[in-house]
Amino acid sequence: MKKLPLYYFSIFCICSINSNAQVKNISDSAFHSAAGNDSVFQHKSFIPGNYTYMEVDVLDNIYLITAGNQLKKINTNGDSVAVYNDVKKYGNPSLIDVSNPLKILVYYKNFSTVVILDRLLTFRNSINFRKMGIFSVKALATSYDNNLWLFDEQDLKLKKLDDDGKILQETTDLRLLVDTVPSPSQIIDSDNFVYLYDENKGFFIFDYYGTLKNNLPFLHWEHLAISGKNLYGFVNDRLYNYELNSLNLKSYSLPFGFADNINVKAINGKIYVLKKDGVEIYTVK
């Protein structure tokens, strides 16, 4: 696809102005804390093991990097169903994207290289972004049409690439569109929108045509996930749940059992807590 045409400039600017006004109303009036937190989280199961990294997909499969430097896929019963033995080929992965369970992305920032695996964690392909003229990437994700989103930190553009690294689509330089340009640490493709998250500037939300639709000033969130119509993130000992339809923001105080975690993820009505001795799984009422 060609670059977005010039007339999108005005659309971007209008959407940005409108979204800022809307977000003030959301953040001022919709926030509230959930009562009765003790009954919100109920322990479901435990998967023992020594793991250093965790992700969870929409089918409740858990992806773990073991102390033996394997990427392991574990199903909802705790059974190992697939293993990738070459996960440390380029050192420690910067991120692993499992938003599409059929296409797993393992990204190595220091080498500007992404490794693409199938659902059985079998190697399919790898892309060296430097060979494509892209030299600075922190965040990427699988797109809705099975391609690849990334944010080019040098050009300051959101770009879509195919599995050969060919650029299919890109936005204009964001410096022409917003007052402060994000440096996203995470990209999420969900329900016709692409979410770029900068922990110091919040969410920048685009549609699939590259038009900026909204900005949400939720700062310092970690371990982000979108599940259904809910956007989740963690800050210290609190879980935040932003309901995309109602525009309500809820806050939950996490139980003591969540302390000292290596990673935590809220998805599919559950919370997965990675600790030094395994993964605790809780259901959320």
Side-chain angles (χ1 to χ4, degrees), residues 56-62 73 75-76 101-102 267-268 272:
V56 183
D57 69 23
V58 296
L59 302 178
D60 287 325
N61 295 305
I62 308 171
K73 179 180 178 179
N75 65 17
T76 55
L102 303 180
I267 190 170
N268 306 331
Y272 298 78

Side-chain angles (χ1 to χ4, degrees), residues 6-285:
L6 187 61
Y7 67 80
Y8 276 129
F9 288 176
S10 60
I11 298 176
F12 267 96
C13 295
I14 292 170
C15 291
S16 179
I17 293 171
N18 290 340
S19 65
N20 288 337
Q22 180 185 8
V23 167
K24 286 184 179 179
N25 291 333
I26 294 170
S27 58
D28 289 344
S29 63
F31 179 85
H32 60 91
S33 295
N37 284 322
D38 291 342
S39 62
V40 170
F41 307 101
Q42 294 188 350
H43 189 270
K44 179 178 182 288
S45 59
F46 175 71
I47 300 173
N50 186 3
Y51 307 111
T52 61
Y53 186 98
M54 176 188 71
E55 289 292 344
V56 183
D57 69 23
V58 296
L59 302 178
D60 287 325
N61 295 305
I62 308 171
Y63 301 79
L64 299 158
I65 295 181
T66 70
N69 296 331
Q70 293 178 316
L71 175 61
K72 185 177 290 188
K73 179 180 178 179
I74 296 175
N75 65 17
T76 55
N77 297 321
D79 301 321
S80 176
V81 294
V83 174
Y84 177 59
N85 291 309
D86 216 9
V87 71
K88 293 296 184 74
K89 181 178 181 179
Y90 300 101
N92 291 317
S94 305
L95 66 87
I96 299 176
D97 178 79
V98 300
S99 53
N100 180 351
L102 303 180
K103 183 178 183 179
I104 309 304
L105 306 179
V106 185
Y107 179 55
Y108 304 86
K109 179 184 174 183
N110 291 340
F111 289 84
S112 295
T113 297
V114 62
V115 172
I116 303 172
L117 310 176
D118 66 14
R119 65 182 182 86
L120 297 177
L121 302 187
T122 302
F123 177 85
R124 284 176 47 188
N125 188 24
S126 65
I127 305 172
N128 186 321
F129 296 132
R130 292 172 184 167
K131 293 181 179 179
M132 307 298 129
I134 300 173
F135 298 99
S136 183
V137 175
K138 286 198 314 184
L140 51 77
T142 304
S143 66
Y144 70 97
D145 54 0
N146 211 34
N147 288 297
L148 174 73
W149 293 112
L150 62 79
F151 186 76
D152 188 331
E153 299 274 344
Q154 187 172 14
D155 288 351
L156 298 176
K157 298 177 181 180
L158 175 63
K159 298 180 178 180
K160 186 198 289 185
L161 281 64
D162 65 16
D163 282 357
D164 295 322
K166 178 183 176 182
I167 297 176
L168 303 175
Q169 180 181 347
E170 61 183 33
T171 65
T172 191
D173 186 329
L174 294 194
R175 285 173 294 192
L176 301 174
L177 308 172
V178 294
D179 293 332
T180 58
V181 177
S183 178
S185 58
Q186 189 166 343
I187 298 174
I188 302 174
D189 183 322
S190 177
D191 197 21
N192 299 316
F193 293 101
V194 183
Y195 296 75
L196 274 61
Y197 185 68
D198 181 326
E199 65 176 13
N200 296 312
K201 299 172 183 175
F203 289 92
F204 292 74
I205 306 173
F206 296 81
D207 66 17
Y208 288 156
Y209 299 101
T211 305
L212 183 64
K213 304 299 291 185
N214 207 345
N215 175 252
L216 301 175
F218 303 150
L219 307 183
H220 309 302
W221 284 21
E222 296 181 310
H223 315 305
L224 308 177
I226 295 180
S227 182
K229 295 295 184 180
N230 294 282
L231 173 60
Y232 295 101
F234 294 83
V235 181
N236 297 324
D237 60 349
R238 303 198 72 82
L239 165 64
Y240 290 90
N241 172 18
Y242 179 64
E243 298 174 348
L244 297 168
N245 283 345
S246 66
L247 309 184
N248 286 328
L249 179 63
K250 299 178 182 179
S251 170
Y252 301 90
S253 178
L254 297 175
F256 178 76
F258 285 46
D260 300 323
N261 67 78
I262 300 171
N263 198 351
V264 59
K265 183 73 71 173
I267 190 170
N268 306 331
K270 303 180 185 69
I271 296 185
Y272 298 78
V273 184
L274 175 60
K275 294 191 170 185
K276 62 182 180 180
D277 58 347
V279 180
E280 300 276 4
I281 303 174
Y282 295 80
T283 56
V284 183
K285 285 189 174 182

